[in-house]
Amino acid sequence: MLKCTSCGREYSLRKPYQRCECGEPLELELFKSVPGIGKRVWERFSQFYPFELDLEYSLGEGDTPLTKAKRLSKELGVELYLKNETLNPTWSFKDRGTFIGIHRALELGFNKIGTVSTGNMAASVAAYGARFGLETYILVSSTIVEEKLKALEVYGAKVIKVRGDYGGLYYRSLEIGQRKGIYFINSDDPFRVEGYKSIGFEIAEEVTPDYVVIPTSSGGLFRGIVKGFLELKESGLIEDLPTFVAVQAEGCSPICKAFNESRQKIERFENPHTIAHAIENPYPPSGNAVLRLLNELKGLCVAVSDEEILEAQQDLGREGIFVQPASATGIAAIKKLRGRIEEDTKVVSILTGSGLKTHSQMKAVKVMECSLESLEECMG
Amino acid sequence: MLKCTSCGREYSLRKPYQRCECGEPLELELFKSVPGIGKRVWERFSQFYPFELDLEYSLGEGDTPLTKAKRLSKELGVELYLKNETLNPTWSFKDRGTFIGIHRALELGFNKIGTVSTGNMAASVAAYGARFGLETYILVSSTIVEEKLKALEVYGAKVIKVRGDYGGLYYRSLEIGQRKGIYFINSDDPFRVEGYKSIGFEIAEEVTPDYVVIPTSSGGLFRGIVKGFLELKESGLIEDLPTFVAVQAEGCSPICKAFNESRQKIERFENPHTIAHAIENPYPPSGNAVLRLLNELKGLCVAVSDEEILEAQQDLGREGIFVQPASATGIAAIKKLRGRIEEDTKVVSILTGSGLKTHSQMKAVKVMECSLESLEECMG
């Protein structure tokens, strides 16, 4: 049964419902079960999914490292862990959601899938579409950079640049998909959310966090991780929930704005602008759902500036991990919360995607130059 | 004890010996032991390493997916598995060697490390240098592209562009390192080789391959994987060795050339030119060592053209994996060996590094463009 996250209206699982008539996103009810054994998170938590997963088609998504941050832990006075989602098959967390989303599409009998994205999700859906042998449509904004198109083309998806209001494309794609028999696994699809809850499972297998810090754009990732922890609690596998922290960029923070103004609904964020393009969604389709979770669970919402993001990206580099700007927002937020987060608490920050995807954005570097002959002296 | 791979001369482990006086690379003797339990390959095979590994500093290198190639298996009539090394912390296999190499440097008391590289190894050493808090020197060719420098800068390494013969830099760096107290973990350092043998261990844990296909440049990776299998055999953990296939680009194939001409020594490959830059080493420092292994173990050496490489890169994209050109050479080689590799044999191809590292090289893509209003019709 799919249930509306807002009005509670129920929908049958036998049809491709994705959003409620009231406009809000749907979600599967909480699973209450026991974990099993296995090398893969999909095996250990197979009882938390509504269908059997075909691991023959897996590309190795999930089961990413949880790395203790050495320097930042010291600097910030907390026990900081980095959930490194850059080590997924297309180098972002999206692969978990795509893998589950495709199972949903196949269960319903679809042989065409699609998504609306200009970044991580586009690559992920294109890759898994190829893997599963499905016709795959990737709708991108007409302003997409050439570099990203190249990384998509190799997977053989049908990539279509769409001129016009990019925000409207999310809803339009769902309509077109219904008529054309294409299952659009967009950012906050209920089954994408099911995929992301595996991040919560994996974290809880290794540590008992006091805070989980989540870069938040559409809201799908946030909802997924929270749902994972809720299911663990419901199943008696953990005692307490961590405090969930949604992080946005100051230049595009519709959820934090509504949260801080104690409103129940987000509003479109006008003139969004941030270097953290992966979380630059001015009107997130799960924005209200995230707001509800933040209120119910006493979460926090923190907005960080581009400057703080770039500094945090360098901080993570010094831990040995190169992330894209959106993934550094978590660290920027933790720095901002200094004093508010108690000392020696366990904090997990989600690193959503690889820095290799965005280095064309970074500023040029000045390096030393020496001749081979004078190298030794030149090195100083 | 370190032993010369050619003349057999022995060197103490207490000093930072890396190459024999005869010019050939050194290597640790074969470990003969039993595996243990653990989530990480470093735990399961801890008895196959000469020192304890500090997993607190690990970034999650190794334990990469072995993915069955769906389409290519059918097309090529073999059971093809892809060892996906693009899911390492800096998105190439180099991280395994760097992790072990740094342990060696620390064991010897060094607090400075370095490497000579323009690609995967540079990023890897820079990242782990940061992780371990060591002063890190990355010597790059003065022709390095800006994009790669940006991906290095974030780790905070000292990057030095060196004008002059890039090939000579490998040897020069070892000399300078000795005088300046910098341990250069170059491409075929004996302990880098120890790191790579974990790839062999992991493969054998999942399948019993008939062929293992390895993109080969300096020779460090090839030597490492072979050593892994030799140790498993020595330890009675496998019965037979697979056939090892070294793959090079036609435009830079000093090892295949010598092998096919039945010579015992490689010669510098003049005017190297290939799109597979990661394996474009005209005078590989472990070239002769690889030749010896190919001869002793009845291996194969296959050179593939740029055109074949690009086709194979697309083939892998259709399996859902985006690799750099060097990583596609294995598939190109297997295609070339059709008829020679028996049907239904198990073949493992090593995918060495992520395609995201090289997409500036790829040619521009032509995609469809539609307006939001006419999107449905436009999609056809």
Side-chain angles (χ1 to χ4, degrees):
Chain A
M1 192 67 75
L2 285 162
K3 210 171 164 179
C4 176
T5 51
S6 173
C7 70
R9 185 172 162 176
E10 296 186 340
Y11 291 81
S12 159
L13 268 171
R14 267 170 301 169
K15 286 194 171 176
Y17 295 113
Q18 293 173 306
R19 298 189 74 84
C20 183
E21 276 182 17
C22 78
E24 289 297 294
L26 300 179
E27 192 159 288
L28 285 179
E29 290 174 281
L30 291 184
F31 286 78
K32 185 176 165 178
S33 193
V34 286
I37 57 168
K39 195 179 162 191
R40 307 289 310 278
V41 68
W42 305 134
E43 296 171 313
R44 298 190 298 280
F45 289 87
S46 61
Q47 297 304 311
F48 292 76
Y49 286 90
F51 33 61
E52 212 171 308
L53 299 174
D54 192 347
L55 296 185
E56 273 271 304
Y57 285 87
S58 166
L59 289 168
E61 60 293 323
D63 296 297
T64 56
L66 186 74
T67 301
K68 175 127 184 240
K70 292 273 174 194
R71 298 169 183 220
L72 281 167
S73 287
K74 236 179 249 169
E75 189 186 323
L76 301 172
V78 298
E79 209 173 299
L80 175 63
Y81 295 88
L82 308 168
K83 184 63 175 162
N84 190 352
E85 292 296 301
T86 77
L87 301 192
N88 275 298
T90 71
W91 309 291
S92 89
F93 73 98
K94 295 284 185 183
D95 295 329
R96 297 177 188 256
T98 306
F99 185 62
I100 303 298
I102 284 202
H103 276 84
R104 169 64 172 166
L106 291 172
E107 186 196 43
L108 291 169
F110 285 86
N111 56 16
K112 297 177 196 166
I113 59 165
T115 203
V116 172
S117 164
T118 54
N120 293 327
M121 194 163 51
S124 181
V125 171
Y128 282 81
R131 179 71 181 162
F132 280 82
L134 305 175
E135 211 171 292
T136 305
Y137 294 85
I138 310 290
L139 308 182
V140 302
S141 151
S142 55
T143 57
I144 189 172
V145 294
E146 189 63 33
E147 199 181 13
K148 289 189 178 175
L149 283 179
K150 287 179 184 171
L152 282 179
E153 201 271 336
V154 76
Y155 299 117
K158 292 184 202 305
V159 180
I160 303 169
K161 282 189 193 178
V162 185
R163 287 184 307 271
D165 171 36
Y166 185 69
L169 191 51
Y170 172 99
Y171 297 96
R172 176 64 70 90
S173 71
L174 296 184
E175 291 162 29
I176 294 178
Q178 266 185 354
R179 287 193 291 268
K180 284 195 177 291
I182 304 168
Y183 189 91
F184 272 87
I185 316 172
N186 288 349
S187 54
D188 64 344
D189 176 274
F191 290 84
R192 198 169 263 294
V193 169
E194 291 298 307
Y196 300 151
K197 74 188 189 188
S198 61
I199 298 175
F201 298 156
E202 291 173 24
I203 292 171
E205 286 182 309
E206 297 200 53
V207 296
T208 303
D210 300 295
Y211 292 84
V212 177
V213 183
I214 308 165
T216 302
S217 181
S218 73
L221 175 63
F222 187 90
R223 284 175 51 206
I225 294 175
V226 170
K227 188 165 191 277
F229 277 97
L230 288 173
E231 293 187 354
L232 292 173
K233 183 145 190 277
E234 190 77 4
S235 304
L237 295 163
I238 58 170
E239 281 183 30
D240 301 303
L241 292 176
T243 299
F244 297 101
V245 184
V247 189
Q248 301 207 286
E250 276 178 6
C252 184
S253 49
I255 299 174
C256 288
K257 192 161 181 287
F259 183 70
N260 293 331
E261 294 170 1
S262 302
R263 282 187 283 104
Q264 300 306 309
K265 297 265 177 202
I266 59 158
E267 277 171 12
R268 180 178 292 275
F269 197 92
E270 298 302 334
N271 306 314
H273 183 75
T274 169
I275 48 155
H277 296 306
I279 55 167
E280 194 176 13
N281 190 328
Y283 193 58
S286 278
N288 297 330
V290 170
L291 264 184
R292 283 187 291 275
L293 290 171
L294 287 174
N295 284 317
E296 273 168 37
L297 304 174
K298 302 198 194 323
L300 300 171
C301 202
V302 180
V304 295
S305 71
D306 280 4
E307 206 180 317
E308 290 165 333
I309 293 170
L310 286 173
E311 190 186 286
Q313 188 185 35
Q314 296 286 318
D315 289 337
L316 285 167
R318 300 313 195 266
E319 300 284 348
I321 304 179
F322 179 30
V323 299
Q324 51 192 234
S327 302
T329 56
I331 301 305
I334 297 165
K335 283 179 149 182
K336 240 177 163 157
L337 290 171
R338 224 183 312 198
R340 195 153 160 197
I341 291 187
E342 311 74 35
E343 283 222 347
D344 294 324
T345 49
K346 289 194 175 72
V347 182
V348 176
S349 190
I350 313 293
L351 309 184
T352 50
S354 166
L356 291 182
K357 296 190 173 210
T358 53
H359 52 0
S360 63
Q361 272 176 248
M362 295 172 77
K363 59 179 190 292
V365 184
K366 230 187 118 47
V367 300
M368 214 177 7
E369 192 162 346
C370 310
S371 70
L372 183 58
E373 296 68 37
S374 67
L375 178 58
E376 190 163 355
E377 301 74 55
C378 184
M379 282 171 71
Chain B
M1 191 67 74
L2 284 162
K3 210 171 163 180
C4 176
T5 51
S6 173
C7 71
R9 185 173 161 177
E10 296 185 340
Y11 291 81
S12 159
L13 268 171
R14 267 170 300 170
K15 286 195 172 174
Y17 295 113
Q18 293 172 306
R19 298 189 75 84
C20 182
E21 276 182 16
C22 78
E24 289 296 295
L26 300 178
E27 192 160 289
L28 284 180
E29 290 174 281
L30 291 184
F31 285 78
K32 186 177 165 177
S33 193
V34 285
I37 56 168
K39 194 178 161 194
R40 307 288 311 277
V41 68
W42 306 133
E43 295 170 312
R44 298 190 298 281
F45 290 87
S46 61
Q47 297 304 311
F48 292 76
Y49 287 89
F51 33 61
E52 211 172 311
L53 300 176
D54 191 346
L55 295 185
E56 274 271 304
Y57 285 87
S58 166
L59 289 169
E61 59 293 323
D63 296 296
T64 55
L66 186 73
T67 301
K68 176 125 182 243
K70 293 273 173 194
R71 298 167 184 223
L72 282 166
S73 288
K74 238 179 247 169
E75 189 187 322
L76 301 172
V78 298
E79 209 173 295
L80 176 63
Y81 295 88
L82 309 167
K83 185 62 175 163
N84 190 352
E85 292 296 302
T86 76
L87 301 190
N88 275 297
T90 70
W91 309 290
S92 89
F93 73 97
K94 294 286 185 183
D95 295 331
R96 297 177 188 257
T98 306
F99 185 62
I100 303 298
I102 284 202
H103 276 85
R104 170 63 172 165
L106 292 172
E107 186 196 42
L108 290 168
F110 285 86
N111 56 16
K112 298 177 196 165
I113 58 165
T115 201
V116 172
S117 164
T118 55
N120 293 326
M121 194 162 52
S124 181
V125 171
Y128 282 81
R131 179 73 182 161
F132 281 82
L134 304 176
E135 208 171 295
T136 305
Y137 294 84
I138 310 289
L139 308 182
V140 302
S141 150
S142 54
T143 57
I144 189 171
V145 294
E146 189 64 33
E147 198 183 13
K148 290 189 178 175
L149 283 179
K150 287 178 184 171
L152 282 179
E153 201 271 335
V154 76
Y155 299 117
K158 292 184 201 305
V159 180
I160 303 169
K161 284 189 193 179
V162 185
R163 287 184 307 271
D165 172 37
Y166 184 70
L169 191 52
Y170 171 101
Y171 298 95
R172 175 65 69 91
S173 71
L174 297 183
E175 291 163 28
I176 294 178
Q178 266 184 355
R179 287 193 292 267
K180 285 195 177 291
I182 305 168
Y183 189 90
F184 273 87
I185 316 172
N186 287 350
S187 54
D188 65 342
D189 176 274
F191 290 84
R192 199 169 261 295
V193 169
E194 292 297 309
Y196 301 152
K197 73 187 188 188
S198 61
I199 298 175
F201 297 156
E202 289 174 26
I203 292 171
E205 286 182 308
E206 297 200 51
V207 295
T208 304
D210 300 294
Y211 292 85
V212 176
V213 183
I214 308 165
T216 302
S217 181
S218 72
L221 176 64
F222 187 91
R223 284 175 52 206
I225 294 176
V226 170
K227 190 166 190 275
F229 277 97
L230 288 172
E231 293 186 354
L232 292 173
K233 184 145 190 280
E234 191 77 5
S235 304
L237 295 162
I238 59 170
E239 281 184 29
D240 301 303
L241 292 176
T243 299
F244 298 101
V245 184
V247 189
Q248 302 207 286
E250 276 178 5
C252 184
S253 49
I255 299 173
C256 289
K257 193 162 182 287
F259 183 69
N260 294 330
E261 294 170 2
S262 302
R263 282 186 283 105
Q264 301 305 308
K265 297 263 176 201
I266 58 157
E267 277 171 12
R268 179 179 293 276
F269 197 91
E270 299 300 334
N271 306 315
H273 183 74
T274 170
I275 49 156
H277 295 307
I279 55 167
E280 193 176 14
N281 190 328
Y283 193 59
S286 277
N288 297 330
V290 171
L291 264 184
R292 284 188 292 275
L293 290 170
L294 287 174
N295 285 318
E296 274 169 34
L297 305 173
K298 301 199 195 326
L300 301 171
C301 203
V302 180
V304 294
S305 70
D306 280 3
E307 207 179 316
E308 290 165 333
I309 293 170
L310 286 173
E311 191 187 285
Q313 189 186 34
Q314 296 286 319
D315 290 336
L316 285 166
R318 301 315 195 262
E319 301 284 348
I321 304 178
F322 179 31
V323 299
Q324 52 191 234
S327 302
T329 57
I331 302 304
I334 296 165
K335 283 179 148 182
K336 240 178 163 156
L337 289 171
R338 225 183 310 198
R340 197 155 158 196
I341 290 186
E342 311 75 33
E343 283 221 347
D344 294 325
T345 49
K346 289 193 174 75
V347 182
V348 176
S349 190
I350 313 293
L351 310 184
T352 49
S354 166
L356 292 181
K357 295 189 173 210
T358 53
H359 52 358
S360 63
Q361 271 175 249
M362 294 172 78
K363 58 179 190 293
V365 184
K366 230 186 119 47
V367 300
M368 217 179 1
E369 192 162 346
C370 310
S371 71
L372 183 58
E373 295 69 35
S374 67
L375 178 58
E376 191 163 356
E377 302 75 53
C378 185
M379 283 170 72

